[in-house]
Amino acid sequence: MIRALMIEAENVTCFHDVAEAPLGAGQVRVGVRHIGLCGSDLNTFKGLNPLVKLPRIPGHEIGGEILAVGPGVDPAYAPGRRVIVMPYTNCGECTSCRKGRLNACRYNKTLGVQQDGGLAEEIVLPAEKLILNDTLPPRHLALVEPLSVGFHAVERGRVAKGDRVIVLGCGMIGMGVLIAAVARGAEVIAVDLSEEKRALARQFGAVEAIDAGSEDVAAKVSELTGDDGVDVAFEAVGLPATFTQAIDLACFGGRVVYVGYSKAPVTYQTQFFNLKELDIMGSRNALMRDFQNVISHLEKIGDKADALISKVFPFEEAENALPYWDSHRNALKIVIERGG
């Protein structure tokens, strides 16, 4: 038996002993060492995630160590090596998969959402869903997946050097967008209610950080862009107001990328879609190349990435992590660390 943390019901988490999964052909047993909590985990805890059936073991931002391998696994996946988990599935047959967009598989089952996740002592996964990495600090392995979602959104938005970009929402996904856009040479404006997150956005290269609670965002963007608007607007909040705001802030001939998703219907004045001839795109999950790009970037910036981690909980205290985040919403990334 192994220990795993379950979200049993709304606002209720508890450790359970669960059966150790068998190790089959092509599979790897991974000892979970670091796991980041995502907004989807918090929504599950709050009873706000319609994709989840409780009870559920949460967690899909996973860094670990190989414990054992099944038959047919490449010898490179040797016990003791560190790995990053790609937590999505892909059927290989739906329209997205046939187009090579495996991240948007129609039948995807993300760990911790549609299936039990990694907030456990160990997990068994296909070798193809593991990325070997012995160079990053172990704690940074759990940052790769959430940052990859932002990097993928920037790829979707075709951000290029000299673009003016706005990021609505500077949570972990928004920070991934910001970091990727800055790396491409874009001029990035960050928007958030949190003073701490705005300061972090500046630390990672935002040229301006607007307080959405006290400033007129549209007026400030108009001032900063000479009334043009931004080339690319990223929505990473998930509110109807920011969904429509992204359309308003984009320039004529601009692009809008939705990374968040609204839990309520969104009403638009659709003439701006046509008058501005906007490219409006959704963005979901990430591809292998996005993970690799994040890994390369984290290797360049080193310990600077520690600033993205707000608090670390020992695995033994993981029951306290989601309640803590629920009462400290300005926290960026909560990481659970397991030794041994």
Side-chain angles (χ1 to χ4, degrees), residues 46-57:
K46 297 298 295 178
L48 301 175
N49 193 336
L51 301 177
V52 175
K53 294 181 179 179
L54 299 178
R56 175 68 76 225
I57 300 172

Side-chain angles (χ1 to χ4, degrees), residues 16-35:
H16 285 267
D17 289 330
V18 298
E20 183 180 74
L23 184 62
Q27 293 183 322
V28 176
R29 191 179 304 280
V30 176
V32 176
R33 298 293 179 250
H34 293 85
I35 184 160

